[in-house]
Amino acid sequence: MKIIENRKDLLEEVKILKVKGNSIGFVPTMGALHDGHLSLIHYANKDNDITVVSIFVNPTQFNDQNDYAKYPRITEDDTEKLKKVKCDILFTPSEKEMYPAEDKREFDFGKLDKVMEGAHRPGHFRGVALIVSKLFEIVNPDKAYFGEKDFQQVAIIRHFTKRLKFNIEIISCPIIRESDGLAMSSRNMLLSQEQRANVSLISNTLFDAREKAKSMTVQETKDWVIRIINENPFLDVEYFEIVDDTSLDPINNWNQKAGKVGCIAVHVGTIRLIDNIRFYS
Ligand code: PAF
């Protein structure tokens, strides 16, 4: 595994690999790697000759400076994990390398960023678009891999990839869960033992909501999920929305033809977790 810190070196390396006819799969991350990330790397390996992974805790996507400060940074452990899977290139740039000057670009995501994460984390998706577009320019991958846990992020990345005319296929990969159902997330390692014992209620309530949806309206299902989770003293629901899986418009009626996804954000003390589930009714 080659470890590269400098964007020029990576540009050069990728150019040579592409001239030789290699396809490139790219897995951008903020580190604190877990099995969810490793599954993205597995998909990238299956589809491509070369897999590039980046680790960069991107300051511009944190609307809360506290969240940025406490985001886990364990690059040495991550590097050891990556050595055990097939990762050909690890890109670990510094902040100066990615933002040598203030990047003032604005993006138009249509309606996609007006709901859920976009509504509750002002500026978050602009930060994601800033960094992902910079990384795409450097890595120039054929395919890029993202986890479906960040459901809205994937929709927004698809949108700007098309708008900015990147010739990159965006692949979304299934959520990987712990044995008790909790969606894997780098933030899970920040949970206390007590919090960790309680957070599986989030995914378990989402699973149960699928059953409830068979006899409840959309609004009743939403109210039920929020009530059950909020009854737990460790958990505080920020939002739970059931949306069209493409437009992210709210679903009002189970008979609507669109694919339906229930997306949730929950505060657990100072930690914020997200998850989502498909409804098939
Ligand atoms: O999903 C993440 O980890 C981040 O938002 C990403 C896509 C690596 C951009 O910083």
Side-chain angles (χ1 to χ4, degrees), residues 126-163:
R126 174 177 175 267
V128 170
L130 284 176
I131 195 64
V132 173
S133 59
K134 278 170 186 282
L135 289 166
F136 279 180
E137 274 159 23
I138 304 167
V139 180
N140 188 19
D142 297 276
K143 295 185 168 75
Y145 297 78
F146 297 89
E148 273 172 13
K149 183 176 72 68
D150 297 294
F151 189 80
Q152 189 174 11
Q153 170 171 279
V154 180
I156 283 186
I157 289 173
R158 273 191 208 290
H159 184 267
F160 75 71
T161 298
K162 211 163 160 194
R163 249 185 112 93

Side-chain angles (χ1 to χ4, degrees), residues 7-188:
R7 56 196 290 166
K8 273 205 192 114
D9 292 348
L10 183 56
L11 265 168
E12 197 54 35
E13 185 73 29
V14 167
K15 216 192 247 167
I16 294 167
L17 286 163
K18 286 218 148 186
V19 167
K20 288 185 181 160
N22 291 290
S23 59
I24 311 263
F26 179 41
V27 181
T29 82
M30 298 207 295
L33 302 179
H34 49 68
D35 285 355
H37 295 113
L38 299 185
S39 81
L40 302 182
I41 296 170
H42 170 74
Y43 288 116
N45 279 330
K46 259 188 20 192
D47 297 346
N48 303 279
D49 301 313
I50 297 291
T51 295
V52 178
V53 175
S54 64
I55 296 181
F56 179 66
V57 183
N58 173 36
T60 61
Q61 72 185 75
F62 287 83
N63 57 313
D64 172 354
Q65 279 316 298
N66 232 358
D67 188 25
Y68 175 60
K70 65 175 197 276
Y71 199 85
R73 291 159 172 86
I74 47 169
T75 309
E76 271 180 30
D77 291 5
D78 289 341
T79 308
E80 287 314 306
K81 270 191 190 157
L82 289 173
K83 282 182 184 162
K84 294 186 188 131
V85 296
K86 183 188 164 287
C87 168
D88 301 287
I89 299 174
L90 169 60
F91 183 46
T92 55
S94 64
E95 189 175 332
K96 217 163 171 208
E97 193 65 26
M98 294 313 293
Y99 294 104
E102 195 187 345
D103 189 334
K104 296 199 166 127
R105 280 179 297 156
E106 294 293 337
F107 298 84
D108 178 2
F109 305 121
K111 288 190 299 180
L112 294 176
D113 66 334
K114 306 293 181 285
V115 292
M116 303 191 292
E117 293 300 281
H120 288 89
R121 301 183 68 191
H124 168 65
F125 286 123
R126 174 177 175 267
V128 170
L130 284 176
I131 195 64
V132 173
S133 59
K134 278 170 186 282
L135 289 166
F136 279 180
E137 274 159 23
I138 304 167
V139 180
N140 188 19
D142 297 276
K143 295 185 168 75
Y145 297 78
F146 297 89
E148 273 172 13
K149 183 176 72 68
D150 297 294
F151 189 80
Q152 189 174 11
Q153 170 171 279
V154 180
I156 283 186
I157 289 173
R158 273 191 208 290
H159 184 267
F160 75 71
T161 298
K162 211 163 160 194
R163 249 185 112 93
L164 300 183
K165 298 193 168 42
F166 283 111
N167 187 17
I168 299 169
E169 192 180 341
I170 304 301
I171 314 277
S172 63
C173 304
I175 298 175
I176 305 295
R177 296 184 180 279
E178 302 287 355
S179 55
D180 64 354
L182 177 67
M184 289 199 184
S185 163
S186 304
R187 288 188 169 88
N188 292 351

